[in-house]
Amino acid sequence: MFDFILHVAIIAALNGLLALSLNLQLGYAGLANFGQIALFGAGAYGAALAFSWGFGPFAGLLLGLALVSLLALVFARLGRSLGADYWGIATLSIAEILRTVATNETWLTGGAQGIGGLPQLFGFDLPGTLALAAAALLATYLVLRGVTQSKFGLAVRLLREEPQLAASLGYDLAGLRRRVMLISGVPAGLCGFLYAHYVTFVGPDQLFASETFFIWAMVVIGGLANHSGAVLGAVALQILSASIPFAKDALGLTSEYVAAARLTLTGGGLLLFLLLRPQGLLPERIGSVRA
Amino acid sequence: MRSSLVLGLGLLLATHVAAKAELVVGAVIPLSGASATQGEDQRRGMEIALEEINAAGGVLGKPVKLIVEDSGGRVPSALDAAKKLVTVDSVSAVIGEYSSGITIPIGQYLVQSGKIHLNIGSSSNRIRDLGATSFSVLGLEAVSSKFAAKDVVAQGWKKIVIVGPNNAYGQGMASGVKEELEKLGATVMSTLLYTEGQTTYRRELQQAAQMKPDAFVYSAYGKDAALMNREAFELGINKTPWYAIYLSMCTADSQRETVVGQYGMDLNFVGPNGKAYEEAYRKKYGMSFKTSFSGYGYDALKLLAAAAGKAGSAEPAKLREALIELGKGYEGATGTITFDAGRQRSEQPYLTLKMGQNGYEPR
Amino acid sequence: MSQLVFDLVLRTGDVALVAVALSAAYSLVRFPNIATVYYATIGPFLTYVLARVGLAFWLAAALATVAVGVLAVVLNATVFDRLLRSGSAIAMIGSLAVGMLVTAVLLVTAGPDSMRFAFALSPPQDLLGARVTALQLWSMGLSSAALLGFALILFFTDIGRCMRATAANADLARATGIDAHGVIRVITFASGVLAALGGICLSLKGELNILMGPDLILPVFAAAILGGLGNPLGAILGAAVIALTEVIAASTNFGPLLGQAFLFLPVNYIGATSFAILVLALLFRPYGLFVNEVRRV
């Protein structure tokens, strides 16, 4: 049981990284990224490719961060000319194209069978892995809090609320978007890297568009534009999702109901929050900028 | 005095064994998501096996307990489920998953935690490397490809187009069959891996037809298979012979007239054991096999129960020994199960079939 | 050649109705409503159930489309209208959440297996050199009629003029006395009906399955966005552009150019071509291929 709790905690911490990353884009900058899972994928495939070429985890981390930065720049470049809805769909399309490439280029990515056998960073020591994931989460939290409390953070919120005003005040909107994407790419890529080494396997099935939806649910339930909220949302959803099997055992549900329960929990939970508490568990604090 | 001591010890031992002896088996299969059809069929096989085992009095004097978890077709959910089964339900063995991308991480976890892992749905050759307590109840790619290639070439077809889904199963099948066909001197003109879940496959089919092969070798399932068979029929492409790898799986959802005349191979479900299983399935679910995967679920659970009975224990280490011993020739519903040194099923008997007006006909 | 043209029309018809539904709804309710593709799943399922209890197919289909239209109006009034106050991205993710709930309900009531309407399969006939089946013709006829009817309503009736006026400038329309809420209800109803019909036409030619909706999301969005969201008839052109690219990409033999017998674009990249076109088109025509209006952020 203790191992199970550790595992749930590790996944929750890793999801927290993804949620923090999306929260900076969506919550603070108003960038509706529907291809978030691709940023994760860049980190995960960076780790996997480096491994398959015989390099160590450190090289994998660097490769993952390089790939994720490249992708973040592509997303930001698209954002220069597109309205929000269109940009969301464009990011979704790019994520799907990348998943198609990962599925088809067997010589590079192992195709649909993926790349397996990556080493765990701490052997199979769960507490060590958890400590690493938690440290990454804490560091990301502190850095992003610093970022959003700075002058830059203020500009980013202005980009969300009044882009025309921001432009008229002389802010470089394209530059702001680019920096937001680059900064938020790092935790997502880091998450991909840690995840790849934790489950020891990377494959295209981890990159379905529906995964992006789970990250969205975390951020929206936790609270847009609130770092603690994003982390709380990630933790809450992981705990709920991990407890579905127990609910099934306790209630004696059949398989169709279990599958439906999973859908109802995420879909219904999200919808309830959107309708009844759109600010999320922890709302954005107005005027929380020091600079 | 002495005899009573022995008796007492014996009783103590007996109650101790009885308390620990219950065989609890977990399963992690995709009951929702893109592979739900196959996952549901895997569950059906296990369910029939469970009923048979427990109707016959169970194992070790107790009914076998089976806990089925939904993987949702996602690695994180599958890992959550596997960890729950191991650390909370204390299962001795876990059966699953369906797609190689999920089987590999959960298999690695199970081996590392010292539990038995039975693969019943993934044919990636990488399953072989999972480790000491992992077994495959279905033959990996190499086994089925070899059989199908030989059968295809025996029909006199020389120029082949291979069609399969663009997933771990399809990619593995296509590359395996291509290799074996080329060894036997046939030419593979093209390999078409279709994206699942489309509203039409006419583009794929027409591209394939332009090459004018002697035969199409294909493997597909679910609504994709039904749609493709229908569109091939409507486009007249079914005039060229179609050879199905797992004919029952490829044609289960299709309208009969669209698939009459197809050649194919399938698991030996009309053997002495398989026949009974097929009847049990038909009786319980009112249809013939939906996919070819239920049989492996059935065999896996039966095999585990037999191993527990043989070992007289549900301890993973003892189960492993018993599985290796049984794996020298176990008569399952999918034919004789023989494990090689790497605990993978090394051979598997197949049927050669043709689709007639009234169903499958042996060739 | 005629086979190619026929395939092109067939493929366009696959997504056109649902894409038009999405785009039409967007013209007044400004967010891309993902639930639209789930309306396209509910429609055929309802038809199937109604036909099973003994209704004639056309009657079952008519009842099902009206029911889906009403559902769309109800959902819009109770859910999406509220979500839209928090922004279009929020409303969009909310519509996906609604879709998940739809899938959950269908999973429990209908199960994960494919079904098909109880029509006898007709052998293909030769029509100007193309192989065509009766069901395909029915499906095409039904979609064309629905599209034509919608276009007629949009351009030649008062309610259509009100819709276009409200879409172009809601404030101005209100000022001239147009009942904006009524217009929104009408177009939402129409979008539900069109989406349900699109799903029915699709499953006439193939299967119906609870994954139809999720599988339609990307092609339908690609078509609607290429045509310009909010420009319903543009969505038909968007669907045609995608169909054309896919048909050409799939069936052009590049082999002779390079001295080989056969060389095709691998079919596993065909799906990705439409996304690539979408991204490229958005780079150069940020608001779709068929939109002239200029909008700035």
Side-chain angles (χ1 to χ4, degrees):
Chain A
M1 187 71 202
F2 184 60
D3 277 2
F4 182 68
I5 292 171
L6 283 181
H7 161 75
V8 171
I10 291 169
I11 298 288
L14 293 179
N15 283 343
L17 285 173
L18 283 178
L20 280 176
S21 158
L22 182 66
N23 189 32
L24 181 65
Q25 302 164 52
L26 175 69
Y28 287 94
L31 296 172
N33 184 354
F34 278 88
Q36 174 75 358
I37 199 64
L39 295 175
F40 162 89
Y45 269 98
L49 288 176
F51 167 74
S52 70
W53 296 330
F55 294 105
F58 187 66
L61 180 61
L62 290 184
L63 180 60
L65 290 180
L67 289 175
V68 95
S69 305
L70 196 66
L71 184 59
L73 285 178
V74 172
F75 280 176
R77 168 66 187 79
L78 279 172
R80 203 161 78 185
S81 49
L82 294 184
D85 307 339
Y86 290 85
W87 187 72
I89 301 292
T91 53
L92 178 65
S93 302
I94 288 177
E96 281 297 298
I97 291 172
L98 290 178
R99 187 174 65 82
T100 311
V101 172
T103 313
N104 292 337
E105 298 309 310
T106 314
W107 58 276
L108 180 67
T109 61
Q113 305 192 355
I115 298 174
L118 277 77
Q120 286 215 335
L121 295 175
F122 290 96
F124 281 101
D125 181 30
L126 285 176
T129 310
L130 179 58
L132 184 64
L137 183 65
L138 183 67
T140 305
Y141 175 84
L142 292 175
V143 169
L144 290 190
R145 200 179 61 170
V147 165
T148 50
Q149 285 184 346
S150 68
K151 215 167 181 170
F152 171 72
L154 200 62
V156 164
R157 283 181 230 205
L158 197 60
L159 168 72
R160 177 188 73 190
E161 295 294 335
E162 293 289 344
Q164 279 150 344
L165 178 65
S168 71
L169 289 175
Y171 285 108
D172 169 17
L173 297 190
L176 277 177
R177 281 201 196 94
R178 194 164 55 237
R179 279 154 74 192
V180 167
M181 288 311 297
L182 279 174
I183 295 172
S184 58
V186 172
L190 185 63
C191 170
F193 167 80
L194 291 173
Y195 185 85
H197 280 284
Y198 175 56
V199 306
T200 72
F201 176 85
V202 175
D205 288 359
Q206 295 162 353
L207 305 183
F208 279 121
S210 53
E211 300 295 323
T212 297
F213 177 70
F214 282 104
I215 311 168
W216 269 72
M218 294 168 205
V219 176
V220 170
I221 289 178
L224 284 165
N226 184 317
H227 298 302
S228 313
V231 175
L232 182 65
V235 172
L237 262 191
Q238 170 61 13
I239 290 176
L240 275 180
S241 139
S243 58
I244 289 180
F246 295 98
K248 173 215 66 176
D249 289 353
L251 301 173
L253 294 176
T254 60
S255 56
E256 277 97 359
Y257 285 93
V258 175
R262 195 183 289 285
L263 289 165
T264 310
L265 188 74
T266 17
L270 184 63
L271 200 57
L272 278 182
F273 264 93
L274 286 174
L275 284 173
L276 304 178
R277 197 175 162 83
Q279 69 273 42
L281 290 170
L282 301 178
E284 179 178 16
R285 273 171 306 201
I286 309 295
S288 58
V289 176
R290 273 191 244 119
Chain B
M1 177 65 202
R2 188 183 237 180
S3 61
S4 69
L5 189 70
V6 171
L7 191 68
L9 258 178
L11 269 176
L12 196 69
L13 209 64
T15 50
H16 183 68
V17 167
K20 288 209 72 174
E22 188 190 16
L23 177 65
V24 185
V25 178
V28 180
I29 48 178
L31 296 171
S32 58
S35 311
T37 310
Q38 292 80 265
E40 168 61 16
D41 216 32
Q42 292 176 323
R43 192 188 63 79
R44 289 180 173 186
M46 286 186 253
E47 198 151 282
I48 294 174
L50 185 71
E51 281 171 11
E52 288 181 11
I53 295 165
N54 288 343
V59 177
L60 308 169
K62 281 198 167 185
V64 172
K65 204 170 150 196
L66 175 71
I67 304 172
V68 180
E69 300 293 351
D70 176 25
S71 70
R74 301 174 63 231
V75 176
S77 305
L79 268 178
D80 287 354
K83 301 212 173 195
K84 179 236 172 205
L85 288 170
V86 169
T87 62
V88 181
D89 298 317
S90 308
V91 296
S92 310
V94 174
I95 300 171
E97 208 253 2
Y98 167 72
S99 72
S100 303
I102 299 177
T103 305
I104 291 169
I106 68 167
Q108 275 173 345
Y109 164 70
L110 291 165
V111 168
Q112 170 253 321
S113 31
K115 305 292 180 187
I116 301 289
H117 168 233
L118 289 188
N119 163 37
I120 56 166
S122 307
S123 51
S124 162
N125 284 324
R126 282 185 209 150
I127 306 279
R128 184 175 288 282
D129 308 324
L130 281 176
T133 57
S134 177
F135 294 76
S136 281
V137 180
L138 89 166
L140 302 187
E141 275 146 26
V143 186
S144 56
S145 310
K146 202 174 226 158
F147 181 89
K150 225 173 177 173
D151 194 21
V152 166
V153 173
Q155 309 302 320
W157 300 322
K158 288 285 174 203
K159 294 186 294 176
I160 309 294
V161 168
I162 302 174
V163 180
N166 194 15
N167 58 22
Y169 166 71
Q171 288 186 358
M173 180 279 297
S175 69
V177 172
K178 179 171 197 251
E179 196 184 318
E180 294 294 336
L181 277 172
E182 283 171 351
K183 267 191 216 160
L184 295 171
T187 317
V188 174
M189 306 175 79
S190 180
T191 297
L192 299 183
L193 295 171
Y194 65 85
T195 306
E196 297 159 273
Q198 297 188 77
T199 52
T200 175
Y201 293 98
R202 297 169 66 92
R203 298 159 300 172
E204 283 85 345
L205 288 167
Q206 278 165 330
Q207 187 183 101
Q210 281 196 45
M211 298 181 206
K212 301 197 168 54
D214 295 341
F216 296 99
V217 173
Y218 86 113
S219 201
Y221 44 67
K223 74 170 178 128
D224 300 331
L227 188 55
M228 198 179 303
N229 280 324
R230 176 178 180 156
E231 289 181 331
F233 171 80
E234 288 171 351
L235 288 164
I237 296 174
N238 65 337
K239 305 257 174 352
T240 307
W242 281 69
Y243 184 95
I245 293 183
Y246 302 127
L247 184 65
S248 67
M249 172 179 92
C250 296
T251 57
D253 290 341
S254 304
Q255 279 150 296
R256 180 63 52 78
E257 61 254 61
T258 62
V259 291
V260 164
Q262 285 196 2
Y263 291 73
M265 52 83 91
D266 214 311
L267 302 169
N268 186 3
F269 54 68
V270 294
N273 299 327
K275 187 78 190 160
Y277 171 61
E278 198 205 2
E279 274 159 17
Y281 186 101
R282 193 186 293 278
K283 200 171 143 214
K284 189 161 167 63
Y285 298 107
M287 59 167 86
S288 42
F289 294 140
K290 197 154 68 163
T291 72
S292 302
F293 292 96
S294 78
Y296 299 110
Y298 174 85
D299 275 353
L301 193 57
K302 279 266 175 146
L303 192 58
L304 274 173
K310 189 179 174 67
S313 158
E315 292 284 321
K318 297 216 175 95
L319 277 180
R320 177 175 184 270
E321 298 307 316
L323 280 172
I324 289 175
E325 198 55 40
L326 280 172
K328 289 179 176 156
Y330 172 85
E331 291 300 324
T334 57
T336 307
I337 297 176
T338 320
F339 292 131
D340 62 15
R343 300 163 312 283
Q344 309 296 312
R345 187 167 187 173
S346 56
E347 52 185 278
Q348 188 162 319
Y350 295 102
L351 295 172
T352 54
L353 298 169
K354 192 170 182 184
M355 185 57 114
Q357 293 291 349
N358 301 313
Y360 312 116
E361 293 163 0
R363 274 188 277 132
Chain C
M1 187 62 209
S2 58
Q3 184 71 51
L4 271 187
V5 173
F6 176 71
D7 269 21
L8 191 64
V9 176
L10 207 58
R11 178 78 187 138
T12 308
D14 271 357
V15 292
L17 268 181
V18 190
V20 167
L22 177 78
S23 210
Y26 185 92
S27 70
L28 288 186
V29 189
R30 291 261 164 198
F31 79 101
N33 190 342
I34 299 180
T36 311
V37 298
Y38 291 89
Y39 299 157
T41 319
I42 305 174
F45 268 97
L46 270 183
T47 311
Y48 181 83
V49 172
L50 291 173
R52 277 290 289 275
V53 299
L55 259 58
F57 174 78
W58 63 269
L59 189 60
L63 282 178
T65 47
V66 170
V68 173
V70 171
L71 176 74
V73 174
V74 170
L75 278 176
N76 213 50
T78 53
V79 177
F80 299 132
D81 199 29
R82 283 183 70 164
L83 292 184
L84 206 50
R85 286 180 227 151
S86 315
S88 65
I90 293 297
M92 189 169 161
I93 205 78
S95 64
L96 185 56
V98 169
M100 289 180 89
L101 293 177
V102 169
T103 307
V105 171
L106 287 176
L107 191 63
V108 172
T109 53
D113 295 337
S114 289
M115 290 173 260
R116 64 179 74 84
F117 293 124
F119 285 112
L121 201 61
S122 54
Q125 288 146 1
D126 193 85
L127 187 78
L128 309 170
R131 296 176 68 96
V132 183
T133 68
L135 281 180
Q136 285 169 347
L137 284 180
W138 271 111
S139 168
M140 277 162 69
L142 196 56
S143 346
S144 314
L147 287 175
L148 193 66
F150 182 69
L152 288 178
I153 292 176
L154 202 57
F155 289 103
F156 295 104
T157 63
D158 273 346
I159 184 80
R161 270 185 283 274
C162 291
M163 282 185 219
R164 284 182 292 133
T166 317
N169 190 331
D171 295 331
L172 192 62
R174 243 187 307 265
T176 56
I178 291 176
D179 168 18
H181 286 291
V183 172
I184 286 179
R185 271 197 291 277
V186 171
I187 203 137
T188 310
F189 179 78
S191 107
V193 166
L194 286 175
L197 265 180
I200 292 170
C201 290
L202 203 54
S203 39
L204 261 183
K205 292 179 292 186
E207 312 278 312
L208 61 147
N209 181 291
I210 56 170
L211 290 177
M212 271 174 69
D215 288 341
L216 273 175
I217 293 182
L218 289 166
V220 162
F221 268 67
I225 287 186
L226 268 187
L229 276 175
N231 175 3
L233 300 184
I236 306 176
L237 289 174
V241 168
I242 288 174
L244 183 67
T245 338
E246 286 183 347
V247 168
I248 289 176
S251 52
T252 309
N253 183 3
F254 298 98
L257 293 177
L258 298 164
Q260 288 173 332
F262 295 106
L263 185 66
F264 290 101
L265 184 81
V267 289
N268 39 9
Y269 272 111
I270 290 175
T273 27
S274 58
F275 302 140
I277 300 164
L278 179 61
V279 173
L280 283 180
L282 285 178
L283 267 181
F284 296 107
R285 297 274 311 184
Y287 290 98
L289 293 181
F290 307 105
V291 168
N292 289 321
E293 71 178 292
V294 179
R295 277 186 278 176
R296 289 198 173 77
V297 179

